[in-house]
Amino acid sequence: MAASERSMDQEVVKSSSFLQKFRLYETRSNFYMIGRDKNRTFWKVLKLDRTEQTELNFHQDSTPYTESECFETLRRIHEGNRSTGGLKFVTTCYGIIGFIRFLGPYYMLIITKRRKLGEVCGHTVYGVAKSRIVTIPHASVLSTVAYSKDEKRYKRLLCTVDLTKDFFFSYSYHIMHSLQRNLSNNVEGQTYYESMFVWNEYLTRRIRNNAEDCMWTVALVYGFFKQVKLSVSEKNFRLTLIARRSRHYAGTRYLKRGVNEKGRVANDVETEQIVYEEPQDGHPVRISSVVQNRGSIPLFWSQETSRLNIKPDITLSAKDPNFEATRLHFENLARRYGNPIIVLNLIKTREKRPRETILRVEFANAIKFINKGLSKEERLRPLHWDLHKHSRKKGTNVLGILGRLATYALNLTGIFYCQLTSDGFQNQNPSTVENNIGECSTYDLPTKDEIASDSVVENGNDSKDRQKEATILQKGVLRTNCIDCLDRTNVAQYAYGLVAFGRQLHALGLTESDTIDLDNPLAEDLMGVYETMGDTLALQYGGSAAHNKIFCERRGQWKAATQSQELFRTLQRYYSNAYMDAEKQDAINLFLGYFQPQPDKPALWELGSDQHYNAARFLASSVPEISRSTIKRSLSESSILSEGTSTVAGRHGLGEKDEEVKGLSDSAPEIISTSKTTSMIAGSFSAPPPILEEIGLEEILENDCFCFNDDRHGGDQCTCAAFDMDWVSSSGASCEDESYGRSALVRSFETIPESTNIEPEICVINTERDEVTTVEGEAISGIPQGYVRWVMGHFW
């Protein structure tokens, strides 16, 4: 092949092709991975050295081969290694997940089977159907460490991260980014691996730093992906729902709570809803998306899981008096989505004993404190609404009320909409589609007035044509939370998604109205997708499917069956949290690289509690020795990265990260008992409700808190309605009660299960068959009978 032709081929490979199928071969001294593109137009070769015990050495041949050239190369390799067994085929695979080392050799994780989940903009999205871990060094050079008990245990622990569940990827589409970012920002090189949603960033770091490109690895996103084909008025379209879980401060329910020193919160999930019409040859394609966010309350709080206490205490720390970590969290949201940030807080306003309400008051204080230093455009827009209280009222249309709150939020943020040509829609590199919609940036977005007037228009005179040809960008985001960001949050996210769904279909010209009634079959279809997403995310973080009582009632499901299902899921969740989450958290820390084993350091399973490492030190000293065995918290980025814990991190062999950390106070506030704290609190807040006629929320909010921080409400003054808590001092007229809100104490309170309407007769224990069943006869498998008896004894 001529040099000019070879150079041209290299440019084609570099600019528009992706390796999608691979074959792995081995000799005694090397692994050879052969990769080809989808259309079989070129092949490439990667060689990995097998002679080193503890080093990872590889060489990528930059030359693109034809199929015949590739197999001729393999033939020569076989002939050259005939004396040691020749070249042997190992397996077919579909990409490298990454490389990892524990105490001995390096291992390579590969995808050996994939399944198609759907497509976005013509780019296929796959799920991992089967994976394999391959030892790189040849058996003849392995040391005894490779066969040690600890090495085998680390390997088994890594394999507990089930890559076949809820991990997905795309070769040609940046699935870790939203559609708006993909179409408006040209993401070049390997930077997309640095995304907070790429879970194998650590595993691929070594090869990315030494190889010319990322064609051998796939960027894995963890969360949820589902695509369905729907129709309206005989017009077909696709609905895609994507949930991306952050790899920062990732973990399980009780082992990851609140925020860390870098402003990263637990259970941080970006949810994107994409709607586009079925593409037709020669016709432009209209596509729309909307993004929302869920995440733990960004305060320093936690819960210690215990096998002896089914209702773990909530511990709120006052280690961050200026809410620095909370501010960092919202700054990160503003960088990602722009302003405004609407904060929908769904936790309780009234409790017999203060639990969730402790966090509610502190969160309101934090938002007010942060808003004082922000301009009018940058201020957080908090909405506090007690979903639990209103869902218990007979005749209350919870989804209808949430829809009105969602309408208010969506009026502020808008949706993303654009029109793509068929060529741009099918283009393999999504960043090139920006030529079809013009220059735009996620962080330099049009104003609300510009969105309302459809001012981002390329051409056209008729208003209807202008609407179809306009490019509209979402500006800002709705952030929703309850305590776990699972059950109530998922209901609220569905309500927001339904309001957005109506506007998306209208923007695509599929409906005349921009609203969808709850009785519309499309609303039922969307509910099913969100319910599936809620169950998936709840299993990942909480250990059981989500509590879907509101969805079940909406469908008219039998009340007894719903109660039985709620109890079943409560049992699953608490059993998982108490008995399984510790190992699950260790596996996540190992997979994400937050713990890196070293031969002369303690093993991962030997380390103690350090979710918030500084807080854990004084908490542990206050806990009786007999109960310490019940505490098993996870490693966190804060313990690895903060300057104050660098010595400890080094002692435990923790991995280094490249982000700068702003350390917070190491002071250890004292702990007071629940009874002492409760006795100090009495009365209630009192403040006039805000003027909200234009959005129709005054009757919705009732006695809940709505903090708007608008100039018309007094600028920096927090305009909160009464918190409706009879145990708070009546002397305070705002969210900031000096006797309670800014105490330099750690407060511990007992939590209440998410589901409270549980009847004792809806679960049956069969002592003869040694199983537990629901009223519908469904066996509760995987939970010991004695444990269920003990749990039920705590509920009634």
Side-chain angles (χ1 to χ4, degrees):
M1 183 179 293
S4 60
E5 293 177 347
R6 178 78 70 184
S7 176
M8 184 180 299
D9 287 343
Q10 290 177 345
E11 288 299 317
V12 170
V13 170
K14 183 177 180 180
S15 63
S16 61
S17 298
F18 303 89
L19 299 178
Q20 294 198 19
K21 191 169 183 180
F22 308 83
R23 291 174 66 86
L24 184 64
Y25 298 86
E26 68 171 346
T27 65
R28 184 182 179 88
S29 57
N30 292 290
F31 274 117
Y32 294 91
M33 181 167 283
I34 312 299
R36 66 167 175 83
D37 68 326
K38 181 178 181 180
N39 298 323
R40 306 176 69 95
T41 57
F42 76 97
W43 279 253
K44 298 193 73 173
V45 180
L46 179 71
K47 182 175 71 172
L48 296 107
D49 185 10
R50 304 188 68 193
T51 62
E52 292 287 343
Q53 292 188 40
T54 60
E55 294 296 327
L56 180 63
N57 298 320
F58 51 84
H59 172 72
Q60 176 185 264
D61 192 339
S62 59
T63 303
Y65 292 92
T66 64
E67 184 172 13
S68 59
E69 290 174 335
C70 183
F71 283 101
E72 175 61 24
T73 300
L74 293 177
R75 189 191 64 78
R76 291 198 302 266
I77 294 173
H78 175 70
E79 292 297 328
N81 290 272
R82 186 178 294 275
S83 61
T84 56
L87 185 71
K88 299 177 182 178
F89 172 74
V90 179
T91 185
T92 298
C93 59
Y94 297 92
I96 298 175
I97 296 172
F99 300 89
I100 192 169
R101 177 177 178 263
F102 308 126
L103 302 173
Y106 267 95
Y107 302 94
M108 177 171 60
L109 283 73
I110 55 177
I111 299 171
T112 55
K113 190 175 182 180
R114 67 187 181 187
R115 63 181 183 276
K116 182 178 179 179
L117 301 179
E119 59 182 50
V120 180
C121 292
H123 304 270
T124 303
V125 177
Y126 297 97
V128 179
K130 192 175 181 181
S131 63
R132 177 175 173 179
I133 183 169
V134 179
T135 305
I136 293 180
H138 191 267
S140 62
V141 301
L142 290 177
S143 64
T144 56
V145 176
Y147 303 101
S148 66
K149 183 184 299 185
D150 283 353
E151 181 75 8
K152 292 179 179 179
R153 185 168 179 178
Y154 276 123
K155 192 174 179 180
R156 286 196 302 269
L157 187 62
L158 180 70
C159 291
T160 62
V161 178
D162 191 350
L163 298 174
T164 66
K165 290 185 178 179
D166 312 322
F167 282 90
F168 51 93
F169 64 95
S170 176
Y171 298 105
S172 55
Y173 180 77
H174 300 158
I175 194 65
M176 72 292 297
H177 297 318
S178 68
L179 179 70
Q180 176 169 309
R181 181 173 180 184
N182 278 329
L183 297 185
S184 57
N185 289 320
N186 191 352
V187 182
E188 297 180 352
Q190 306 175 13
T191 56
Y192 48 84
Y193 274 88
E194 305 299 333
S195 167
M196 63 188 293
F197 303 118
V198 176
W199 274 55
N200 60 333
E201 184 276 333
Y202 164 72
L203 297 177
T204 59
R205 194 181 301 168
R206 187 71 178 267
I207 188 171
R208 287 185 290 109
N209 290 340
N210 293 276
E212 295 180 359
D213 52 49
C214 303
M215 302 180 74
W216 302 98
T217 60
V218 296
L220 286 183
V221 178
Y222 184 43
F224 176 81
F225 183 98
K226 187 174 181 62
Q227 185 171 88
V228 295
K229 293 183 179 181
L230 302 174
S231 63
V232 56
S233 301
E234 299 183 351
K235 299 176 183 177
N236 298 324
F237 66 92
R238 293 192 185 188
L239 167 68
T240 306
L241 192 63
I242 306 172
R244 306 174 179 95
R245 298 180 63 89
S246 172
R247 62 182 169 88
H248 301 302
Y249 204 46
T252 55
R253 186 184 180 203
Y254 287 144
L255 301 181
K256 290 293 184 181
R257 289 295 213 197
V259 69
N260 66 11
E261 285 87 344
K262 294 173 57 182
R264 306 291 191 178
V265 296
N267 202 24
D268 191 342
V269 183
E270 176 184 270
T271 303
E272 182 177 22
Q273 179 175 298
I274 302 175
V275 180
Y276 68 87
E277 57 189 352
E278 289 287 358
Q280 299 178 6
D281 294 339
H283 291 82
V285 174
R286 287 170 287 183
I287 187 168
S288 174
S289 74
V290 65
V291 173
Q292 54 181 317
N293 176 268
R294 69 169 74 181
S296 188
I297 298 173
L299 301 171
F300 283 99
W301 67 282
S302 59
Q303 283 180 282
E304 294 286 1
T305 182
S306 171
R307 298 180 184 181
L308 303 178
N309 181 11
I310 198 170
K311 302 176 182 178
D313 293 346
I314 288 179
T315 301
L316 175 64
S317 172
K319 63 180 291 188
D320 188 13
N322 294 323
F323 302 110
E324 179 68 15
T326 309
R327 181 185 61 79
L328 289 174
H329 171 68
F330 285 114
E331 285 181 352
N332 179 269
L333 282 179
R335 284 194 299 269
R336 286 156 54 190
Y337 305 111
N339 288 307
I341 305 296
I342 302 101
V343 183
L344 179 56
N345 182 21
L346 302 172
I347 61 178
K348 298 176 183 177
T349 59
R350 179 191 292 269
E351 296 171 296
K352 292 182 179 179
R353 295 181 64 192
R355 285 170 284 265
E356 294 186 14
T357 43
I358 300 295
L359 297 177
R360 179 187 178 92
V361 172
E362 190 77 346
F363 194 20
N365 287 332
I367 292 175
K368 179 184 176 183
F369 186 90
I370 292 170
N371 275 346
K372 288 180 179 179
L374 299 176
S375 64
K376 178 181 177 181
E377 294 75 17
E378 295 173 332
R379 287 176 191 160
L380 305 174
R381 311 289 183 97
L383 290 168
H384 300 281
W385 191 67
D386 187 343
L387 175 58
H388 181 269
K389 179 180 74 174
H390 291 280
S391 65
R392 292 170 64 89
K393 293 181 180 179
K394 291 184 178 180
T396 302
N397 184 358
V398 173
L399 290 175
I401 296 173
L402 286 171
R404 296 171 70 180
L405 292 170
T407 300
Y408 162 74
L410 204 61
N411 286 340
L412 292 173
T413 65
I415 63 174
F416 172 68
Y417 166 83
C418 73
Q419 182 172 277
L420 307 175
T421 65
S422 58
D423 291 340
F425 190 77
Q426 298 291 343
N427 193 292
Q428 282 191 307
N429 189 347
S431 63
T432 63
V433 182
E434 65 180 349
N435 295 328
N436 294 309
I437 65 174
E439 298 274 342
C440 55
S441 169
T442 306
Y443 311 126
D444 185 17
L445 303 174
T447 64
K448 176 184 175 183
D449 294 336
E450 290 175 330
I451 294 175
S453 62
D454 288 331
S455 64
V456 190
V457 179
E458 294 181 5
N459 50 50
N461 298 317
D462 183 79
S463 59
K464 188 175 182 180
D465 292 336
R466 286 201 305 269
Q467 183 179 7
K468 290 182 178 180
E469 295 177 2
T471 294
I472 304 175
L473 302 180
Q474 177 179 338
K475 181 180 182 180
V477 74
L478 173 67
R479 183 199 192 275
T480 308
N481 74 267
C482 51
I483 285 294
D484 294 324
C485 301
L486 296 178
D487 311 314
R488 288 170 283 183
T489 296
N490 198 61
V491 173
Q493 287 207 324
Y494 162 69
Y496 184 80
L498 182 61
V499 175
F501 196 29
R503 299 193 184 186
Q504 289 176 296
L505 292 178
H506 180 65
L508 268 57
L510 299 177
T511 58
E512 294 294 331
S513 173
D514 62 356
T515 61
I516 297 178
D517 189 82
L518 283 168
D519 296 324
N520 191 309
L522 288 174
E524 181 71 19
D525 293 332
L526 187 69
M527 181 187 293
V529 179
Y530 269 87
E531 188 172 9
T532 304
M533 179 186 73
D535 289 342
T536 301
L537 297 180
L539 281 166
Q540 293 168 7
Y541 183 64
S544 78
H547 293 291
N548 294 317
K549 179 182 177 181
I550 293 176
F551 290 155
C552 293
E553 290 178 348
R554 179 67 198 174
R555 286 192 294 265
Q557 192 168 320
W558 184 35
K559 184 177 180 180
T562 300
Q563 291 176 329
S564 175
Q565 175 182 278
E566 294 297 287
L567 175 61
F568 174 41
R569 293 179 177 181
T570 298
L571 292 174
Q572 277 186 317
R573 189 170 293 184
Y574 278 102
Y575 182 77
S576 176
N577 298 157
Y579 291 90
M580 303 172 66
D581 281 1
E583 183 178 82
K584 185 177 178 181
Q585 185 67 61
D586 286 345
I588 291 173
N589 291 331
L590 197 65
F591 185 86
L592 294 176
Y594 296 149
F595 178 87
Q596 299 173 27
Q598 297 183 27
D600 56 343
K601 305 296 181 182
L604 177 56
W605 44 87
E606 296 174 350
L607 299 180
S609 169
D610 59 358
Q611 179 185 15
H612 305 297
Y613 194 86
N614 295 330
R617 284 185 295 178
F618 69 79
L619 286 173
S621 64
S622 303
V623 178
E625 188 68 29
I626 192 172
S627 65
R628 288 189 185 180
S629 61
T630 67
I631 299 176
K632 177 66 177 178
R633 278 196 185 169
S634 64
L635 297 161
S636 71
E637 288 181 287
S638 59
S639 66
I640 296 174
L641 297 167
S642 62
E643 295 176 359
T645 60
S646 59
T647 304
V648 178
R651 185 174 67 250
H652 287 176
L654 304 179
E656 296 180 359
K657 301 289 288 182
D658 53 6
E659 296 189 52
E660 182 180 356
V661 181
K662 295 184 178 181
L664 300 176
S665 172
D666 288 346
S667 60
E670 59 178 310
I671 302 175
I672 58 175
S673 67
T674 303
S675 58
K676 289 183 179 179
T677 305
T678 307
S679 64
M680 297 168 58
I681 305 172
S684 63
F685 284 119
S686 176
I691 302 173
L692 299 166
E693 296 86 356
E694 73 279 12
I695 54 176
L697 294 177
E698 66 281 352
E699 72 276 18
I700 296 177
L701 296 168
E702 298 178 357
N703 291 325
D704 295 331
C705 176
F706 177 87
C707 304
F708 191 78
N709 289 100
D710 202 338
D711 283 347
R712 68 183 180 186
H713 297 145
D716 293 333
Q717 179 63 35
C718 177
T719 56
C720 295
F723 265 88
D724 197 19
M725 298 184 290
D726 55 10
W727 42 266
V728 180
S729 173
S730 59
S731 61
S734 72
C735 293
E736 190 170 355
D737 180 31
E738 291 300 329
S739 66
Y740 176 66
R742 298 306 312 143
S743 172
L745 300 171
V746 173
R747 308 149 204 151
S748 300
F749 295 94
E750 186 181 16
T751 59
I752 295 179
E754 293 273 339
S755 176
T756 56
N757 294 332
I758 300 175
E759 300 295 335
E761 67 271 15
I762 63 178
C763 188
V764 180
I765 299 179
N766 189 326
T767 55
E768 294 182 358
R769 297 178 61 185
D770 192 31
E771 68 176 18
V772 182
T773 61
T774 64
V775 293
E776 295 181 323
E778 179 183 3
I780 303 178
S781 60
I783 304 179
Q785 172 190 327
Y787 178 80
V788 177
R789 287 181 180 275
W790 176 75
V791 170
M792 294 174 65
H794 279 71
F795 273 115
W796 37 78

